[in-house]
Amino acid sequence: MMEKMIFGRYIPGESFVHKLDPRAKLLFVFGFIIIVFLANNAITYGILISFTFLVMLLSRIRPYFIINGLKPVLLLLVFTFFIHILFTKEGDLLFELGFLKVYEEGLRQGIFISIRFLVLVFMTTILTLTTSPISITDGLEVLLNPLKKVKFPVHELALMMSIALRFIPTLMDETDKIMKAQMARGSDLSAGPMKDRIKAVVPLLVPLFVSAFKRAEDLATAMEVRGYRGGEGRTRYRQLNWQLRDTVILVALIGLAVGLFLVRG
Amino acid sequence: MTEILSLNAVTFSYAPEEPNSKNAVDNVSFSISKGQWIAIVGHNGSGKSTIAKLMNGLLAPTSGEVRFDRDVLTEENLWDVRSQMGMVFQNPDNQFVGATVQDDVAFALENSGVAFDDMVKRVHESLAQVKMDGFLNHEPHHLSGGQKQRVAIAGALALRPKLLILDEATSMLDPQGRIEVLQTVQQLRRETGLTVISITHDLEEAMLADRVLFMNGGKKFAEGTPTEIFTLGDELTALGLDLPFAMKVSRLLQQQGVQLTGQHLTEEELVNDLWTSNFNK
């Protein structure tokens, strides 16, 4: 199951999109999320789709891989599509089947909302697929820096994020180990009524929490020994490097926004 | 020899208010010269790890003083002293702070505000010292235990410390990983004249040291060269510490009536004695 999940996964690569500065990518995706709402007719949605397709090509990730990974989202998509079709009662009546009445406006809305949704999911997936978690953290830290003025603990947040990300695989391994150890002692996690299954999770959760506390303590000691005193006076090993291509994609995004604004109905 | 670290009558208790609580470390004094390798041995609960924490100020002694480079360790010079002391702990997973190998090695350098260019140079240098320079972008869960410990040593070395403390740094490793780590430390010591304090259960590791400190119940029980310590023999076994393999074999052989002279600390000594013993008949 985990192999097929592509949310939050990072596929290393050397493409144009991979090489972009994480700050540029984050700004781009935030901007894109807003721009998507400018589209309101067939042409504008067409432009959005081709733009997304272009970005996907630039990222050199196989479309099949993304589409396959997004199958769970498809269900949600189909659901929203049908809700729109069934409950929007505007425009001409297209056809009627018993109590089922499909109107022109409903069909239009259904298609457009689905496209909007799909395009957003695609874009954000491409972001996480082409950017390592640690550079997303770095990018976020720099972008959030202005918030320091209102006493927002930006450095602490970024540190917490990077430690959390670094420990995900470690804790996954540990969960797996504890699960197998409890199974070896006769605990059954996958059968029986709901109540029993929930009860069986307790012998899994408690050791996991205890060991997380232990880990946190060890890590804090190790950090203190290595001279960690908070964000003040630290230098950074990871340097972000804004290049021409980063400016280019942001300009392209503005161009897209202007274009959409002009052709929208 | 110039002294680098010393403990003067250091006592420490985790619960000083309770009258009946035992001191974790009781009136311990010793000093370490530059370039020495000291092993601190003793069974669980003998105060070994507490001593490690007292040495770099993670714990403050209830009474007595810790001196580093002749200065008494205080709140004021604590961070300065820590930047000259590298420490490697037991669990390779829990002390890995960075997302990748190079981030982890750079962590201590970032903390002490080393400039970027210098930092890159030192990260590569110290990773080359522990032979992990091919793993710059590897993530911790793709490394073996021994590799992670070597990265932790590199992280400590990047600061160019005067003193390296190994707090049971090899106890969670397999024999292969243990040998790798110990060889790395040995070699570094030869090349850079580093002072090493290793806190350990492992007798082979203690044999490598110039001097062994044997702790029992929070007190210093004995101090001397490995030969002096291990010739205590039965006294050690009575206190729950094992003897080196060669010594045990030598004892069993002598019980079986094989003519051997004295104690044998290393396999080499034993083998030499065995194959010359035939000529003595």
Side-chain angles (χ1 to χ4, degrees), chain A residues 10 133-134 159 162-163 166-167 169-170 173 211 214-216 218-230 232-239, chain B residues 56 58 79 82 87 89 91 93-100 102-111 113-116 119-120 123-124 140-141 155:
Chain A
Y10 166 59
I134 190 76
L159 184 83
S162 63
I163 290 177
R166 173 245 168 283
F167 271 98
T170 313
D173 278 356
S211 90
K214 172 90 179 96
R215 269 181 211 285
D218 283 359
L219 186 72
T221 315
M223 284 170 71
E224 207 185 326
V225 162
R226 287 155 82 179
Y228 179 74
R229 271 182 283 181
E232 292 299 309
R234 281 188 102 225
T235 44
R236 298 172 59 86
Y237 183 66
R238 286 179 173 272
Q239 304 278 319
Chain B
N56 69 2
L58 283 169
W79 293 101
R82 270 186 199 160
M87 199 160 175
F89 294 97
N91 191 320
D93 259 323
N94 295 2
Q95 55 182 318
F96 207 107
V97 187
T100 64
Q102 51 180 341
D103 288 305
D104 191 59
V105 176
F107 183 71
L109 298 174
E110 290 180 317
N111 291 335
V114 176
F116 176 71
M119 190 144 57
V120 175
V123 166
H124 285 87
H141 57 280

